[in-house]
Amino acid sequence: MTHTPITVARGNGIGPEIMAATLDILEAAGARLEIDEIEIGEEIYKRGCMTGIEDSAWVTLRKNKVFLKAPVFTPMGGGFKSLNVTVRKTLGLYANVRPCRAFHPFIQTHHPEMNLVIVRENEEDLYGGVEYKYTPHVTESIKLISRTGSERIARYAFEYARANGRKKVTCMVKDNIMKISDGLFYEVFQDIATDYPEIENERYIVDIGAARVASNPALFDVIVTQNLYGDIISDIAAEVSGSVGLGISANIGDEFAMFEAMHGTAPDIAGQGIANPSGLILSAIMMLVHIGQGDIAEKVHNAWLKTIENGIHTGDLYTQGLSRKNVGTREFKEAVIARMGQKPENLKPVSYEAEKGALIMPPLKARDEFERILVGTDIYIYTKEQDVQALAEGVLPHIVEGLDLSMISNRGVKMWPGHKPESFCSEMWRLRLQGDVSSSVVAQQISALTAAGFDIVKTHNLYTYDGELGFSKAQGE
Ligand code: NAD
């Protein structure tokens, strides 16, 4: 039988301990793997590499296409980039799949019926890392949501549901507030849902949705959501299911895939031999299914379930009365290996198709064409002026022909004309200028205000699409 090449990184903190246990289990199960190791994280940052990963490691990752990764340490501040985000974005790993279930009555949980999967969009949203400080005291992070990104993740969620016998996909958004960005995400979700009539679909506003995941997770089957919401919801779900040590994550792209535990490097217990390797073991099981070794995945998964139901638990899971033996990482691994070929008797055994492999995604839908018309510009200026009437009177003589000053706002709230909220104003003001104009008029307007001494920190063009506004109104407008 052919062996599948994979890349392995042992990571930092508890990473080397849990990776050693996982690789021993894979070997004992007869996984057909050809392993290339790379070094990433702490030592690489120390060598002055700001991304924590060197060029030679990228060559290996691109060659092997499948990556089993232990947690890595990301230094705080100092311009260091998160290695995880860099890998996900560089390799186009757009879908982050996080199954989360209870193992009642063997692991303590308030939610015995819990068995959900979070499909988190992995490349867009606030994780673009596009941030600005426009004035000494006003900052901004860009939340970017694209039609293609939304379509790929919605499609992945429904394809995953279909392939895994799941019955419902829930979309979690905040489109009552972010009508344009979250509105697009939900609109695309609804459109894709029509291709899967046998799967129920529903929408939750993310705040109440997250609360329900905490209070009644059995309500959910597959949850599809954006990057930041997915990050928060999956930590809630992992915590509610019993332990962060059980959280697992598959990061899937068209060509590449990365599998990792959800938790971090656990520096508080590193080197003590007590870390729970289960998150990485269960992630490796998803990897085996992905590369078409469902037979091995089934063997490892059932041996792991049997170990859990036999009450052999690491310290993070150990509960008096439920657990039989409190073991370290190595003993836990040995217990799983000793049960290879066995099936659990109380927990439901798993079965995977031997050679099914990765999900095959249908092509993207054809895009509608829209008539896009420029209807003005928002110009943001930095000024310590707090009297909005005086600001308006200073700006009005410099408005060019074809544009009208329709509004001045501060922190998203209309301040002029005729609206006086009680809240404070920052030193960044937005001038909304509207009119049927060309981009050269917008350029003239920027020049005119600059020549008049206004400090412009950014501009946004305003468009309509088939007559619909492509920009939000200010609160109070
Ligand atoms: P953490 O997940 O490392 O630890 C949180 C708590 O959970 C700690 O008390 C820890 O002991 C416990 N814990 C975590 N995994 C466990 C396991 N397998 N078995 C038993 N107990 C476990 O989170 P943190 O402390 O916020 O982060 C520490 C470091 O990890 C940071 O440098 C962070 O950047 C990094 N991190 C990496 C990843 C990744 O590589 N995917 C993810 C998250 C955090």
Side-chain angles (χ1 to χ4, degrees), residues 123-441:
E123 295 183 290
E124 301 196 338
D125 193 0
L126 286 154
Y127 287 68
V130 184
E131 292 196 300
Y132 299 98
K133 190 178 253 191
Y134 293 114
T135 78
H137 307 294
V138 180
T139 59
E140 184 183 61
S141 302
I142 304 283
K143 169 170 175 153
L144 191 132
I145 301 294
S146 74
R147 184 176 293 277
T148 301
S150 304
E151 179 177 338
R152 293 212 299 177
I153 200 67
R155 177 74 74 193
Y156 193 92
F158 281 102
E159 286 290 328
Y160 181 94
R162 184 177 269 173
N164 291 281
R166 300 260 173 182
K167 304 279 182 285
K168 182 171 73 173
V169 180
T170 304
C171 179
M172 290 202 188
V173 277
K174 189 81 182 169
D175 58 341
N176 53 336
I177 300 296
M178 284 159 279
K179 295 186 169 69
I180 294 182
S181 56
D182 284 32
L184 174 66
F185 191 87
Y186 182 53
E187 176 198 315
V188 171
F189 169 82
Q190 284 176 295
D191 182 30
I192 298 298
T194 59
D195 292 344
Y196 303 85
E198 79 282 15
I199 298 169
E200 194 188 333
N201 71 83
E202 65 176 4
R203 157 181 167 273
Y204 265 80
I205 297 291
V206 65
D207 39 15
I208 187 66
R212 291 277 155 79
V213 169
S215 67
N216 193 0
L219 288 174
F220 300 102
D221 196 351
V222 175
I223 295 171
V224 64
T225 191
Q226 295 168 3
N227 211 338
L228 179 62
Y229 306 148
D231 196 5
I232 296 167
I233 294 167
S234 45
D235 267 27
I236 295 172
E239 187 79 12
V240 165
S241 77
S243 164
V244 288
L246 293 178
I248 57 177
S249 157
N251 297 267
I252 310 285
D254 288 334
E255 210 184 334
F256 300 99
M258 173 171 84
F259 300 84
E260 60 178 345
M262 247 171 67
H263 58 75
T265 57
D268 51 336
I269 57 165
Q272 296 176 28
I274 58 170
N276 184 356
S278 297
L280 193 58
I281 296 169
L282 295 168
S283 302
I285 290 168
M286 287 205 284
M287 177 191 77
L288 291 169
V289 174
H290 180 85
I291 62 177
Q293 296 191 26
D295 51 340
I296 310 292
E298 185 172 315
K299 221 160 123 182
V300 177
H301 206 159
N302 283 327
W304 181 85
L305 287 167
K306 178 96 177 147
T307 309
I308 292 297
E309 74 172 25
N310 285 164
I312 298 171
H313 297 165
T314 44
D316 56 316
L317 299 181
Y318 188 85
T319 315
Q320 286 284 351
L322 286 183
S323 309
R324 267 202 317 118
K325 202 170 173 202
N326 187 348
V327 293
T329 315
R330 194 174 47 80
E331 274 175 286
F332 184 83
K333 166 197 82 177
E334 283 161 4
V336 174
I337 291 174
R339 286 160 181 76
M340 210 59 81
Q342 298 181 29
K343 289 194 171 162
E345 282 149 37
N346 297 292
L347 291 168
K348 196 168 168 245
V350 294
S351 71
Y352 295 110
E353 279 176 44
E355 289 171 13
K356 192 163 160 199
L359 292 180
I360 310 282
M361 288 298 118
L364 290 170
K365 289 199 168 194
R367 297 233 187 119
D368 292 338
E369 288 301 325
F370 291 93
E371 189 190 19
R372 174 172 167 271
I373 296 175
L374 181 65
V375 294
T377 185
D378 279 352
I379 296 182
Y380 289 76
I381 56 172
Y382 171 27
T383 172
K384 298 233 167 63
E385 177 63 78
Q386 286 282 303
D387 179 347
V388 70
Q389 186 58 35
L391 180 61
E393 285 166 14
V395 166
L396 280 167
H398 305 288
I399 303 302
V400 300
E401 200 178 329
L403 283 170
D404 286 317
L405 179 65
S406 62
M407 176 199 68
I408 300 177
S409 72
N410 197 296
R411 296 193 305 137
V413 183
K414 177 181 155 186
M415 304 299 295
W416 181 95
H419 186 67
K420 289 257 182 302
E422 299 304 317
S423 189
F424 77 90
C425 290
S426 77
E427 65 224 16
M428 186 165 86
W429 294 81
R430 172 172 60 164
L431 313 176
R432 173 154 287 179
L433 298 142
Q434 287 180 281
D436 287 334
V437 288
S438 63
S439 50
S440 65
V441 174

